[in-house]
Every structure is written in C-alpha cells, then in structure tokens.
Amino acid sequence: MDIKTLARPNSDLRQSEAQAQLKAAYRQVFGNAHLFDDERSLSAESLFINGDLTVQGLINALALSDSYRRLFFEANGPYRFVELNFKHLLGRAPRNQAELSEHVQILATKGYEAEINSYIYGAEYLEIYGFDTVPYNRGATSIGGNSNITYNRTLALASGFAGFDGDKQSQLLFSIATNSSPRAAQRTPGPGDRNGQRYTIRWTSSKPVGQNRRVVQTSSAPYSSLSSVIQSIHRRGGSIASVTES
C-alpha cells in the first residue's frame, strides 16, 4: 500500500468536516435562508474547502456577501439589522440599549463593512469561537456575565431550525428600550386591539430645550407608531423610562 492510499482516509475526513462546517456556517449566518447556487459565496467556499480560509474568515466572507447585504441590510431598518447581526455572528441578543445603539452608530458613521467586522474581529467572538468554530445560538444555555433578560432576548430571536429570519420588524426594540423581558413586552397589547391602543412613553432628555421643557418628557403614540417614536427618542439622545398603556 503506497503513501497516497494511507493519506486518503484522513484527507476524506478533513473534506467531510469542512463540508459540515460550511453547511453550519450558511445556516447560522443566513438564518436558515434558502440560497440558490448563484447566491452562494463560491470563491470563499473553495478557499475554505482547500484549507486556505479559516472558519472566522468564512463567516466574515458570508456576512460581507451581496446575498447577506440584500437579505438583511437592504430589507430591514438599522435596529432589526443590528439585532440579526448579534444573532447570526455572536449567537446572542443585544444586552442593552447602549450596546444596540453603539452598533447602529457604527453602521451609520463607518458603514456596512465596519459593522460586520466589529463582531467577527471583536474580543467576544475570538474568546467564544476563536478561528475554527462556527458561531451558534447561545440561547440554549445561559451565558456567563449576562442577565436573564439577555438570555430571554436571545431565545426570542431564535427562529427554530427550519425558520427564516425574514421578519422585517425589530423583535427587541420595545424590550431593550424599556429594559423588560421580550415576552412581557410582546404581551403588552391585548389581542385584537393593538391598532387602536395608545401608549404613554416617559423618557429623560439630557438636553431639554426651552424654559418649560423638563428633563423627564412624556410622549403618546398608537401601537402602530410605537417603534418609530422610540427610535426617534433614541436618536435625540433620550433614554426610555417606561412605556405603559394610556
């Protein structure tokens, strides 16, 4: 038996492992989306299969691809896009408003590529996944240093093995803005009466304007406009104190 024959089983095993990692990477990064052959990153796949690209490099290539940009950046607002980046690239939900806003700001000021790179080349990614582990949903187990709310938010973002992250509405904006459980936030509007229900938003402003403007502000909005009002308050540097039914 020659050396080539002896080497073949190990080579086949490496190829099998690489194919399994490639499949897992697509499923994780694209949230179970079905991609046609012309939507796949074939050059990155080839480099990875040949051993010229690490798992980390593969994840980066998939997240920077035209397909990821089209499915998750162009089809969604910045808050939903950032939510999905946390889920797809770090395997968890944003911890709080500050973390969510930080990445929205990176996206707005430094652009798409900088936003993607901030996850994959960040300290948390390297500590958890290193160079050779495909990111995975960490909602199945509690994450050290995270609160129970973060754990519940990660579960709320999970779409299931066969689900697709195609929902264009932010799943966590209300929860993060009010520092509440996502399940509690989703139960707030009663069944069948969401469109007619109004909400009172109490928020603090670090820069009140005018003699009669108080640090604590109050806004009112119907459920259909609630997300846009919350986003507007955040853009003005405000912090949400509470959101209650009017």
Side-chain angles (χ1 to χ4, degrees):
M1 185 178 294
D2 59 24
I3 295 176
K4 291 182 179 179
T5 303
L6 289 172
R8 189 174 300 122
N10 288 334
S11 177
D12 290 344
L13 179 60
R14 286 195 297 271
Q15 287 288 313
S16 177
E17 290 175 345
Q19 290 290 350
Q21 286 183 311
L22 184 62
K23 182 178 180 180
Y26 268 103
R27 185 172 63 243
Q28 174 66 26
V29 173
F30 284 93
N32 293 328
H34 173 75
L35 299 179
F36 294 102
D37 287 343
D38 61 353
E39 295 177 306
R40 296 173 68 94
S41 301
L42 298 181
S43 60
E45 288 186 30
S46 178
L47 288 170
F48 177 70
I49 294 297
N50 291 333
D52 298 320
L53 196 64
T54 63
V55 171
Q56 182 194 36
L58 173 66
I59 298 299
N60 188 245
L62 296 183
L64 290 177
S65 68
D66 290 340
S67 294
Y68 190 88
R69 187 183 186 106
R70 174 178 55 81
L71 287 171
F72 302 114
F73 174 62
E74 295 177 358
N76 295 296
Y79 281 81
R80 177 59 173 163
F81 179 59
V82 168
E83 278 181 13
L84 291 174
N85 288 341
F86 269 98
K87 175 185 178 181
H88 296 160
L89 306 179
L90 289 184
R92 66 169 176 85
R95 294 189 179 98
N96 49 44
Q97 180 59 43
E99 192 172 56
L100 182 64
S101 296
E102 176 188 356
H103 282 270
V104 170
Q105 190 67 14
I106 291 173
L107 180 64
T109 60
K110 298 182 180 180
Y112 178 91
E113 184 172 349
E115 160 64 3
I116 296 300
N117 289 343
S118 68
Y119 301 92
I120 298 172
Y121 296 110
E124 180 179 352
Y125 183 101
L126 291 172
E127 179 183 352
I128 301 299
Y129 304 117
F131 299 107
D132 298 312
T133 300
V134 176
Y136 52 87
N137 179 13
R138 292 188 278 158
T141 58
S142 59
I143 305 171
N146 280 350
S147 64
N148 287 335
I149 289 180
T150 301
Y151 171 74
N152 289 332
R153 287 172 184 157
T154 301
L155 289 179
L157 283 180
S159 54
F161 186 83
F164 165 55
D165 295 326
D167 193 333
K168 297 180 181 180
Q169 296 296 319
S170 170
Q171 302 298 298
L172 301 178
L173 181 61
F174 189 99
S175 169
I176 290 175
T178 59
N179 196 32
S180 62
S181 166
R183 293 183 178 180
Q186 291 165 2
R187 287 198 304 268
T188 300
D193 65 357
R194 287 185 170 187
N195 291 332
Q197 181 62 54
R198 294 191 68 84
Y199 291 84
T200 297
I201 307 165
R202 295 183 70 254
W203 54 283
T204 58
S205 173
S206 58
K207 298 179 181 179
V209 178
Q211 289 183 329
N212 298 321
R213 294 295 295 275
R214 300 177 181 274
V215 173
V216 178
Q217 307 288 321
T218 301
S219 301
S220 178
Y223 176 78
S224 59
S225 301
L226 189 58
S227 290
S228 61
V229 172
I230 290 174
Q231 291 182 37
S232 177
I233 291 171
H234 288 154
R235 284 196 297 269
R236 295 169 61 181
S239 178
I240 306 296
S242 66
V243 179
T244 57
E245 291 186 7
S246 299

